[in-house]
Amino acid sequence: MFTRILPAALASAVLAATPLAAQDTDIAFALDWRFEGPSAPYFLAIDNGYFAEQGLNVEITAGQGSLDALPKVASGAFPIGFADINSLIRFLDQNPGAPVTAVMMVYDSPPFSIVGRVSQGISGIDDLEGSILGAPPPDGAWAQFPILAEVNGIDTSTITVEPVGFPTREPMLAEGNVDSVTGFNFSSYLSLARLGVPEDDITTIMFADHGVELYGNAIVVNTDFAEANPEIVTGFLTAVAQGTAAAIADPAAGAAAVIDRNPAGDAALEERRLQLAIDGNILTDYVMENGMGGIDADRFATALEQLTLTYEFQNEQDAALYFTDAYLPEGDVLMVGGQ
């Protein structure tokens, strides 16, 4: 059973009595992963005062994978989170009525990838058959791997799947214990390089380059909270768009904001990781033309069809349950790539 964060009547009374700009509203935001380059937009939104301008005091919590934020947000423990929309779709099918939906697409092109080593025999997608694939069970890329296999006719019975933990994923590949791993393009690639694997020995197989039409990660909200606090949600998304624009304009500043929260990190590495996410996942042609946050209905319909290739829905698909643009801010704030 899922509980409300704030009763609708009380929330409405508070919003009616107090202008949003005068509020000091605490918001707990659940990330999907640890503090790395791609999380820079949220930290810049704090450091540059974008959240504060919306009357929000945001606390960001690291996550443990693409599935991690969904139960946190659905349960009401966090009103807002960051999660893989495909995992959200399955979560809602398995938990009908759970109060969670996506409200802003961030990774217009999904970061799902398989990262392998040429020296281990992985130069491209055709080399996966007969190989050893390391996959963390909660990983978003692993969750969508069956679609990649189905679309490309990969015989998965020939692949030995080795369950691995996130901390051991790249080390096992670096040590040659597996031939490739599932992961996000901006994480596994650079983490492997940091372990000393020559970059010309690393192969990145992007799902999006091989017929997978899925979207990636999005901002998700507890729907009870959002319905009761629409101005807060729109204000949050406004600040996220501003933080994203700031990260695109100055990736070095974005990386510095991350390192302020993760002093053990490498600023140059996180700047590069952020740039990979910007170029490959955030600032797509669609976003350049239409702005950040929305989705294309036809593409989303195709994505839903692809999900049925390897997942048997218990309930009828309903796109309206998975995404809404009702809380997106209006105006040029979403044009994060400039015009």
Side-chain angles (χ1 to χ4, degrees), residues 133-144:
L133 174 66
D139 179 48
W142 168 241
Q144 311 313 329

Side-chain angles (χ1 to χ4, degrees), residues 259-279:
I259 296 302
D260 282 346
R261 279 83 176 180
N262 181 16
D266 182 311
L269 181 75
E270 297 312 328
E271 180 180 352
R272 190 175 176 194
R273 199 189 307 273
L274 171 59
Q275 193 66 60
L276 284 173
I278 291 170
D279 294 341

Side-chain angles (χ1 to χ4, degrees), residues 174-208:
E175 293 166 6
N177 295 322
V178 296
D179 303 319
S180 64
V181 295
T182 63
F184 282 10
N185 61 298
F186 48 70
S187 292
S188 291
Y189 181 93
L190 291 179
S191 296
L192 192 61
R194 192 180 190 188
L195 290 172
V197 177
E199 293 195 31
D200 60 4
D201 189 32
I202 303 174
T203 300
T204 301
I205 302 168
M206 295 295 298
F207 287 23

